Amino acid sequence: MIIHNGLVHDAIHREPYHADILVKDGKIQDIGTDLPSDEELVDVQGANVYPGFVEAHCHLGLDGYGIGFEGRDYNERNDICTPQLRAIDSFNPQDPAIAMAAKAGVTCAATGQGSSNAIGGLWTCVKTTGICVDDMVVKDNIAMKCALGENPKRCYQDKGNCARMSTAAVIRNMLFQTKDYMARKAAANGDPLKMPAFDMKCEAMIPVIEKKIPLKIHAHQANDILTAIRIAREFDVKLTLEHVTEGHLIVDILKRYPDLPLAVGPTLTNASKFELQNKSWTTPGILAKAGCHVSIITDAPVIPLQYLPLCAGYAIKAGMDPFDALQAITIHPAEHIGVSDRVGSIEVGKDADLVIIDGSPFEVSSTVRQVYIAGEQL
């Protein structure tokens, strides 16, 4: 089919442009004005065409909508260090919140464990349509979730984890153990009699040490943000920062790391704990203006995922450049979670995840007319 007569906001070029989009086999095959006329024509009558919106950090499918403990599958509290857990094994495709997000144009989301544990486990990235998680996955095991700050302190204070330095030590210890485990495996040279005892936790952490996936570290407070950077530098591993609530207070430091992905939010909430006291809608704009790599997140269900574009709208209201805000819910989160080869912008070769909107996605009064995921209309 051809999406015809739309104003294309591709999330790559600052200025939108009128063009047709040729979709074939679930992919964007061509973009232009002289496309083959023998395809099915979908005339969008001058509406705005955006790439499907992308969420870099949420708990979709792991924290059920309209349900209690039965659907609360994002935190395991029997151990402060659980890198062996995989989000895909908790994900529920029947969660009603998934369809709500899709209808609002959020077509792709990184989802996984919460922040109770110093190390929580492996995250996954899914499309927001389907009945089987294996078919919904864009990329599995995209990052190793970790957490600093108040949450691990609160959840494990009765088990001896009472200070920020204790939480940091748990993460360091697991990284040291994994490096030692890898060295022992290498020294064994395949001899089963010399191999170290199988360690599921270390096995899960090996991709982190090998720089195949990043540590995805929850950090609100400025000192926690800097601790995350310190640990990543000590062990020479990849890092993404999640929440970054006080990022604007240390912008002069964060701008030294322009390639460090920062996911800012959730901001449309009450400051429910001390480390959120400096929460501000100005944060993503300040960081983006300084040259940082910024995504805006809902942390759904903290903010329902369908309101991701509205969160970008509030950031614009607080001074963020509108194009920076668009990139913060499209191509930047796609890069943040390592799936920008498939989603996050309207470009030839990428998945045909498209949102047709009457008006701006940043305005509450705008209407989402059509949503396509992999070329299929919802």
Side-chain angles (χ1 to χ4, degrees), residues 54-58 110 123 125 139 142-145 212-218 238-244 259-265 292-297 327-341 343-344:
V54 182
E55 168 75 30
H57 181 109
C58 70
W123 272 43
C125 175
K139 186 178 181 180
I142 59 171
M144 180 61 69
K145 177 66 184 294
K212 293 179 180 177
I213 63 172
L215 294 176
K216 186 179 182 73
I217 300 187
H218 160 118
K238 295 171 68 176
L239 172 69
T240 68
L241 284 171
E242 317 298 314
H243 306 305
V244 200
D259 296 326
L260 173 61
L262 310 175
V264 181
C292 298
H293 187 284
V294 177
S295 300
I296 292 172
I297 60 171
Q327 289 197 314
I329 60 170
T330 54
I331 190 62
H332 280 185
E335 292 168 344
H336 187 114
I337 58 182
V339 293
S340 59
D341 59 324
V343 302

Side-chain angles (χ1 to χ4, degrees), residues 60 96-107 128 305-306:
L60 187 74
I98 299 171
M100 295 177 189
K103 290 177 181 177
V106 183
T107 58
T128 52
L305 188 49
Q306 60 264 36

Side-chain angles (χ1 to χ4, degrees), residues 45-68:
Q45 303 171 333
N48 293 296
V49 184
Y50 288 88
F53 306 123
V54 182
E55 168 75 30
H57 181 109
C58 70
H59 310 286
L60 187 74
L62 282 81
D63 187 9
Y65 182 84
I67 193 173

